[in-house]
Amino acid sequence: MAGELILIIEDNEKNRRLARDVLQVKGYRTIESETAEEGLKLAAEQAPALILMDIQLPGMDGITAMKRLKADRNTRSIPIIAITASAMTNNRQAMLAEGFDGYQTKPISLKDFLREVQRVLLAGGNSEE
Ligand code: MN
């Protein structure tokens, strides 16, 4: 399956470009924002099939943004993958416990990254009410 729209929320241009390039090569469509605030707007307007959420962002952080999206009935069904720079303070279990649907560390490993994107797209978002 390809062609799904994926929203990349990431303030680092190099990381954003890498995610965009690898996703587009695989046939996904992408939109991007550098801040959580802009990302929330794009998510509501464009209803992406998946969101990649950097945790450390200027202004609102990625965990807060994820919780806002999950609290909003218009965006709660969109699955969200946490992208964390540090493996020290954040780990998969902690991020999933916060409410994320998937998890990847930076720098991303292309194979693991694409596998996680596909897995989460197939599993869908958290449908708990
Ligand atoms: Mn960042």
Side-chain angles (χ1 to χ4, degrees):
M1 237 179 1
E4 289 97 335
L5 183 65
I6 299 179
L7 169 58
I8 303 162
I9 303 176
E10 163 69 74
D11 60 314
N12 180 280
E13 203 226 321
K14 210 175 119 191
N15 292 336
R16 222 170 41 240
R17 187 171 62 232
L18 178 61
R20 173 207 311 149
D21 288 350
V22 66
L23 291 170
Q24 290 187 355
V25 161
K26 291 295 174 183
Y28 297 107
R29 293 174 296 129
T30 61
I31 46 176
E32 301 167 21
S33 76
E34 297 181 32
T35 65
E37 290 83 350
E38 175 71 16
L40 294 181
K41 270 176 60 182
L42 281 174
E45 289 168 6
Q46 312 257 343
L50 174 68
I51 297 172
L52 304 178
M53 183 77 77
D54 183 23
I55 298 302
Q56 290 181 295
L57 293 162
M60 186 189 301
D61 68 85
I63 294 175
T64 303
M66 176 275 292
K67 290 183 185 289
R68 295 241 180 138
L69 290 162
K70 296 295 189 184
D72 185 331
R73 60 156 60 166
N74 294 315
T75 54
R76 69 171 13 149
S77 65
I78 304 171
I80 307 174
I81 296 177
I83 310 286
T84 68
S86 168
M88 280 168 48
T89 54
N90 297 312
N91 62 47
R92 171 178 288 270
Q93 283 315 114
M95 287 298 106
L96 298 185
E98 289 283 359
F100 283 100
D101 303 283
Y103 172 80
Q104 284 289 286
T105 50
K106 289 188 281 192
I108 59 172
S109 144
L110 296 191
K111 203 172 143 197
D112 289 349
F113 173 70
L114 285 169
R115 188 185 298 135
E116 184 74 341
V117 164
Q118 287 168 350
R119 183 188 74 75
V120 173
L121 275 172
L122 283 172
N126 189 340
S127 56
E128 284 170 38
E129 286 299 311

